[in-house]
Amino acid sequence: MSDGIMSKAATMEIPINSNGDAGSLPEDDGLEQDLQQVMVSGPNLNETSIVSGGYGGTAEGIIPTSTIKGSGLHQPHPSPPVGGEEVVRGIAVEKFDIVKKWGINTYKCTKQLISERFGRGSRTVDLELETQIELLRETKRKYECVLQLARALTNHFYSLVQTQHALGDAFADLSQKSPELQEEFGYNAETQKLLCKNGETLLGAVNFFVSSINTLVNKTMEDTLMTVKQYETARLEYDAYRTDLEELSMGPRDASTLCRLDAAQSQFQSHKDKYEKLRADVAIKLKFLEENKIKVMHKQLLLFHNAISAYFAGNQQQLEQTLKQFNIKLKTPGAEKPSWLEEQ
């Protein structure tokens, strides 16, 4: 993305027409998921309990039996110091403010989301950035399909190698016990052992391919999509507070409204700054992800092609050379499980 594109506000407010796609309401499930996402991030109360008079403590007027001696009654506990009550009250007020702010924010965002979905509001759209985001999501789905198929290939081929290993052992045993067919059983045993060895080498290459694609899809791409989710939440908040400011601006200009207008302007600016920062973060991450994806896939596709071609051509030397080229090391014989089972 060029600096010119990054430097301008590449956004626009797109009104959602009730006669458009949203009018058919095919995405009720998506609306419900979005509402759940809005509601799920509750306020952070730092897990400190709120204590107010009488709640969570001994009920007033109940005296433990251990304090009764004869006819004399003793107070069970001295009254808490006045300063302690003020601290507790201050904590309670602070946490109430946190919950109140979270509730207001959730209400505004929910209102904005429903307004967009039902065609009664407008949303800010960066067309270039959202096109790239949708392309990333589509690419991730396709790479996940490749990853699933590559894992299935590994599992099936592992079963084949295990069968070849067992068949080679059976031929070798019969070669020793069948003098009249010793030679025939013998060279079949050697063939199966060679195929088994080459199969283990190929599995090492395919597993390296699977591991690399898994890292790209489930770590690198997922990290970028987490930032995208933060950006989309910030966009919703930005539009919610923008709408709130616009509605207040069209109202009467009395003293009370002017005070609320100043507060709304401040909140709008804060959410605008957050939105623009995350938009820039997403643009940068998308750029670096694309560069990393090309680099990783160029290497992995070359590895996969060379290893598969060498194996099915029966070229053992080229197959082993492919593993050396990509610095892939198999476990030494006698290990509990072969390297091509690692990181599955």
Side-chain angles (χ1 to χ4, degrees):
M1 187 177 295
S2 65
D3 293 337
I5 295 176
M6 287 296 295
S7 61
K8 70 178 182 178
T11 61
M12 64 181 71
E13 294 173 15
I14 296 184
I16 312 290
N17 195 316
S18 59
N19 296 324
D21 293 338
S24 59
L25 300 180
E27 47 189 354
D28 289 344
D29 292 341
L31 175 60
E32 182 178 349
Q33 291 174 1
D34 288 342
L35 286 173
Q36 289 176 351
Q37 184 175 352
V38 170
M39 294 297 296
V40 76
S41 55
N44 179 15
L45 300 182
N46 298 324
E47 300 181 355
T48 305
S49 60
I50 302 176
V51 181
S52 58
Y55 290 98
T58 305
E60 185 176 355
I62 299 177
I63 301 174
T65 55
S66 60
T67 62
I68 303 177
K69 294 183 179 179
S71 60
L73 298 179
H74 302 275
Q75 288 295 107
H77 298 289
S79 299
V82 176
E85 290 182 351
E86 291 177 353
V87 170
V88 169
R89 189 178 298 110
I91 293 173
V93 170
E94 180 183 356
K95 292 189 175 181
F96 175 78
D97 287 341
I98 293 172
V99 174
K100 181 181 177 182
K101 289 177 182 178
W102 171 78
I104 293 172
N105 185 73
T106 301
Y107 167 75
K108 290 182 185 294
C109 290
T110 303
K111 178 183 175 183
Q112 175 67 23
L113 182 62
I114 294 174
S115 172
E116 291 176 6
R117 290 298 178 92
F118 287 90
R120 294 191 295 269
S122 64
R123 66 187 295 261
T124 302
V125 178
D126 185 326
L127 291 175
E128 182 179 0
L129 192 61
E130 294 201 8
T131 299
Q132 293 178 18
I133 290 171
E134 185 55 37
L135 180 61
L136 169 59
R137 287 184 169 132
E138 182 181 355
T139 301
K140 185 172 184 286
R141 286 192 293 269
K142 291 180 178 179
Y143 275 43
E144 285 172 340
C145 181
V146 169
L147 181 60
Q148 182 181 8
L149 291 171
R151 281 175 168 157
L153 176 65
T154 303
N155 292 332
H156 294 321
F157 203 78
Y158 171 71
S159 297
L160 172 62
V161 171
Q162 291 294 93
T163 303
Q164 289 175 330
H165 189 277
L167 187 58
D169 288 344
F171 282 151
D173 180 62
L174 285 169
S175 176
Q176 295 177 358
K177 297 179 180 178
S178 306
E180 67 283 2
L181 295 172
Q182 182 177 9
E183 184 177 349
E184 289 82 353
F185 277 126
Y187 58 64
N188 272 281
E190 290 300 320
T191 299
Q192 292 303 317
K193 288 180 180 179
L194 178 61
L195 288 173
C196 185
K197 178 182 177 183
N198 289 347
E200 290 178 351
T201 306
L202 176 62
L203 280 167
V206 175
N207 187 70
F208 185 76
F209 174 85
V210 169
S211 177
S212 298
I213 304 303
N214 179 64
T215 299
L216 177 64
V217 171
N218 292 314
K219 292 185 179 178
T220 311
M221 288 185 178
E222 188 60 31
D223 174 71
T224 301
L225 286 174
M226 286 297 295
T227 306
V228 167
K229 290 178 182 178
Q230 295 172 4
Y231 157 74
E232 291 172 339
T233 300
R235 195 282 307 165
L236 181 64
E237 291 177 342
Y238 165 69
D239 279 335
Y241 283 88
R242 173 183 57 78
T243 301
D244 189 46
L245 179 61
E246 290 171 354
E247 291 175 352
L248 282 172
S249 298
M250 291 185 293
R253 296 302 181 95
D254 54 31
S256 175
T257 305
L258 287 174
C259 182
R260 291 172 57 197
L261 193 60
D262 288 342
Q265 178 66 47
S266 175
Q267 291 174 333
F268 165 75
Q269 188 61 47
S270 174
H271 284 90
K272 180 182 179 182
D273 293 343
K274 179 181 177 182
Y275 162 71
E276 291 180 344
K277 179 184 182 301
L278 281 167
R279 185 179 63 183
D281 289 347
V282 168
I284 292 172
K285 283 202 171 188
L286 285 171
K287 178 183 176 182
F288 285 118
L289 174 61
E290 184 65 18
E291 294 173 355
N292 186 48
K293 182 192 72 175
I294 293 173
K295 181 180 178 181
V296 169
M297 291 309 298
H298 174 77
K299 175 180 178 180
Q300 294 305 318
L301 290 172
L302 184 62
L303 162 69
F304 192 83
H305 173 269
N306 289 353
I308 291 286
S309 299
Y311 174 82
F312 284 101
N315 192 332
Q316 181 181 359
Q317 183 178 1
Q318 183 181 341
L319 183 59
E320 293 176 351
Q321 184 61 36
T322 298
L323 266 68
K324 291 180 181 178
Q325 179 184 352
F326 292 94
N327 297 318
I328 302 172
K329 297 180 180 179
L330 300 178
K331 273 192 175 180
T332 56
E336 292 184 1
K337 61 179 180 179
S339 65
W340 29 264
L341 284 180
E342 292 176 351
E343 300 182 11
Q344 286 293 305

